[in-house]
Amino acid sequence: MKSKVFFSKNITSDEVIKLYSLLGVNLKGNIAIKLHSGEKGNQNFLPPTFFENFINKVGGTVVECNTAYPGSRNTTKKHIKTMDEHGWSKYFNVDIMDSDNKKVTIDIPNGKIIKKNYVGSNLLNYDSMIVLSHFKGHPCAGFGGALKQLSIGCASSFGKAYIHSAGKTTSQKLCWLKMADDTTFQEAMADAASSIHNMFKGQIVYINVMKNMSVDCDCCAVAEDPCMKDIGILASLDPIAIDKACLDLVNASNDPGKDHLNERIDSHNGRHIIDASEALGFGNKEYELINID
């Protein structure tokens, strides 16, 4: 059966609420709202004002984890300061889930590349999750969407390095000498993503926003400006389907900037994460795109 992906060309805060309501899920307990807080200096990340109406309506806590590379978010102290400067703390409750390097391990018994996922320990405090992803390119993964938010996004600082190295590192800092090849990295991300989705299965939803689409991620302090016009917002219960739909919408666009974005995606075998994830059985790349406009 094809997964349902709801789509709207209207990119507004109220449209996020509308799409979420169509999913028909009543999230329970403490809700973790996973999004990208943006590296200091980045001009493309989606600001808290965009999500304000939605997050205030559903409740929950904005969650993040520290990075594994130098920058404004690689320690809890600096990350909290960046969250303050970007306005997240002004509007919402915020939780750096691996504060003070605290992490827990989630087993991935059917993982192809990695058998364990190291996540911020505070993840265990939540009963459900909303994954708010800014769809765009990425300098290592090719693109960032729901699957990358589940894997790298929910991983602790050490966990991020562990996934990037396909389980070879013993340090919480990225070592470029131990970085996995692109295909192996995509498969390790798929493994990690499966563990988070399965952890919250039935209590997790995905919203992707195709706006400010640069070839660079929000993790880049120095990023290229967007290369494509905005496309819309998507919502689904299936992280594989929603990312596949975004990739297909890029391909279907008549925007000449799509060639630049596709070049970035393909240069890192970015589409492979779709097949690798589907092979793990936690979603479906076959989908029905339901236009609500």
Side-chain angles (χ1 to χ4, degrees):
M1 180 181 293
K2 293 182 178 180
S3 296
K4 291 182 178 180
V5 179
F6 295 94
F7 171 69
S8 173
K9 294 180 181 178
N10 298 319
I11 305 178
T12 67
S13 183
D14 288 339
E15 201 74 357
V16 176
I17 297 172
K18 184 177 179 181
L19 285 162
Y20 171 77
S21 66
L22 292 173
L23 296 176
V25 174
N26 180 26
L27 297 182
K28 300 174 182 178
N30 293 328
I31 303 173
I33 300 175
K34 180 65 188 74
L35 48 72
H36 201 304
S37 54
E39 187 71 15
K40 184 176 181 179
N42 185 277
Q43 76 276 30
N44 298 320
F45 75 95
L46 301 178
T49 50
F50 179 79
F51 293 116
E52 182 181 6
N53 290 347
F54 172 66
I55 294 177
N56 286 340
K57 182 176 179 62
V58 300
T61 301
V62 169
V63 301
E64 266 278 39
C65 282
N66 293 322
T67 62
Y69 51 81
S72 68
R73 299 179 302 129
N74 67 330
T75 68
T76 300
K77 183 178 180 179
K78 288 195 292 182
H79 203 160
I80 289 174
K81 181 180 179 182
T82 301
M83 296 285 271
D84 288 341
E85 292 174 347
H86 285 176
W88 297 107
S89 305
K90 174 183 176 182
Y91 293 96
F92 316 114
N93 293 325
V94 170
D95 180 10
I96 307 300
M97 295 189 292
D98 63 336
S99 296
D100 303 318
N101 296 322
K102 292 183 294 186
K103 59 182 183 293
V104 294
T105 304
I106 301 175
D107 290 332
I108 318 172
N110 66 331
K112 181 178 180 181
I113 303 299
I114 57 174
K115 300 295 184 181
K116 294 183 182 296
N117 187 19
Y118 297 91
V119 302
S121 61
N122 289 358
L123 185 67
L124 301 182
N125 296 335
Y126 299 96
D127 306 294
S128 54
M129 177 176 278
I130 300 172
V131 182
L132 299 177
S133 301
H134 174 206
F135 183 87
K136 68 284 182 190
H138 192 278
C140 292
F143 78 93
L147 292 168
K148 187 173 182 297
Q149 279 274 45
L150 283 176
S151 55
I152 299 296
C154 290
S156 67
S157 183
F158 173 79
K160 288 176 169 61
Y162 189 81
I163 296 167
H164 271 277
S165 68
K168 303 299 182 185
T169 190
T170 57
S171 169
Q172 70 179 42
K173 296 181 180 179
L174 289 182
C175 175
W176 300 107
L177 295 176
K178 291 185 178 180
M179 289 280 282
D181 63 87
D182 290 331
T183 298
T184 304
F185 175 46
Q186 299 291 341
E187 293 171 353
M189 281 200 296
D191 290 340
S194 72
S195 71
I196 304 298
H197 178 84
N198 291 336
M199 176 181 176
F200 290 105
K201 192 171 184 178
Q203 286 291 301
I204 186 166
V205 303
Y206 302 93
I207 296 172
N208 282 11
V209 183
M210 301 184 75
K211 177 180 174 64
N212 297 350
M213 289 181 289
S214 167
V215 298
D216 289 324
C217 179
D218 299 342
C219 62
C220 300
V222 179
E224 283 192 21
D225 287 333
C227 62
M228 290 188 69
K229 293 179 181 178
D230 300 342
I231 291 180
I233 305 174
L234 300 86
S236 182
L237 302 179
D238 186 333
I240 302 171
I242 198 172
D243 277 2
K244 181 62 163 59
C246 287
L247 292 169
D248 289 345
L249 284 168
V250 169
N251 284 336
S253 170
N254 59 8
D255 190 324
K258 73 178 184 182
D259 292 339
H260 189 36
L261 182 55
N262 277 330
E263 180 183 23
R264 171 59 60 87
I265 294 169
D266 293 333
S267 68
H268 294 284
N269 198 19
R271 300 175 205 278
H272 182 60
I273 195 172
I274 301 295
D275 291 329
S277 296
E278 188 179 52
L280 295 170
F282 68 100
N284 186 5
K285 68 180 179 183
E286 300 296 326
Y287 64 91
E288 176 188 3
L289 190 67
I290 303 170
N291 195 326
I292 70 167
D293 293 333

